[in-house]
Amino acid sequence: MTTLLELRDKVQRTLTETFSDVRVDSDGDFAIPYESTSVFVRCSEQGEGDSKRTLVQIWAEVLSEVNPTPELFEFVATHADDWVFGHIFTIRDGESGLNRVLMRHTLLGDYLDAEELRSAVVGIVISADKLDDEMKDSFGGKRFREG
C-alpha cells in the first residue's frame, strides 16, 4: 500500500512536470489555475487497518453564488455524469442561501498512474472551464476566477 507521504510526493512530481503553474493553497491542496477556474488536487487516506486506502480527489468550482432554483437542480440532476472524468453537484453555501456548483473526480492513490492523474486533472479543469460559461448564461452566479 502507498503511504500518504509517498502519494503526495508522486502527485506533486507529476503535476509539476506537467503544468507550468502549480501552487499549494492554505489547506495544503495543489491548485492549478486555468482560464476562469482552477483545479484542486488533494491526497488523503480513508479507512483503518487492512482497509486503509489512499485517495486523490480532484475538483474544480464551476460557479458560486448561484440562486437555488428548480431549474438549477434539474440541470445538475440530469447532467451530473455527462463527462468522462468527474460529475457535477451543488451544495448550499453557508448562511447566504446561495449555492456552489462543483465538478469532482476521485482516484485510488494506491495504484495511481501518472498518466491517469494527468488525464483526470486535464479532463476536470477543461470541462469546468467550459461548463462555467454555459451555466452562468443560464443560472447566473460567479465563475471561480472572474476576469
Side-chain angles (χ1 to χ4, degrees):
M1 184 178 112
T2 301
T3 68
L4 186 57
L5 183 57
E6 290 169 335
L7 176 63
R8 186 167 170 76
D9 287 345
K10 181 177 187 174
V11 167
Q12 183 174 22
R13 193 171 44 256
T14 300
L15 294 176
T16 56
E17 288 171 358
T18 306
F19 304 100
S20 61
D21 187 1
V22 178
R23 305 169 185 182
V24 178
D25 71 10
S26 60
D27 295 325
D29 302 323
F30 300 107
I32 303 163
Y34 179 79
E35 302 292 330
S36 60
T37 192
S38 286
V39 66
F40 297 89
V41 180
R42 176 179 291 163
C43 300
S44 63
E45 289 179 318
Q46 183 180 47
E48 296 181 14
D50 291 341
S51 65
K52 186 183 272 187
R53 298 289 180 249
T54 56
L55 301 173
V56 178
Q57 298 162 319
I58 305 161
W59 74 94
E61 183 174 282
V62 177
L63 291 174
S64 63
E65 300 181 24
V66 184
N67 286 316
T69 63
E71 293 80 15
L72 171 68
F73 296 135
E74 179 180 358
F75 180 89
V76 170
T78 58
H79 296 283
D81 287 318
D82 284 359
W83 299 270
V84 173
F85 292 102
H87 65 277
I88 59 170
F89 62 100
T90 183
I91 57 174
R92 187 71 39 108
D93 193 20
E95 296 175 16
S96 72
L98 299 174
N99 282 54
R100 293 170 58 207
V101 178
L102 298 118
M103 179 173 272
R104 177 176 61 200
H105 189 75
T106 303
L107 300 171
L108 184 59
D110 296 333
Y111 309 102
L112 185 67
D113 175 80
E115 185 56 35
E116 177 185 29
L117 175 61
R118 280 191 286 271
S119 296
V121 169
V122 168
I124 292 292
V125 76
I126 288 175
S127 297
D129 180 58
K130 180 179 179 204
L131 186 59
D132 65 7
D133 295 330
E134 296 170 12
M135 289 189 72
K136 184 176 172 112
D137 289 344
S138 297
F139 306 108
K142 292 174 67 174
R143 293 175 193 89
F144 186 75
R145 296 165 34 107
E146 291 287 353

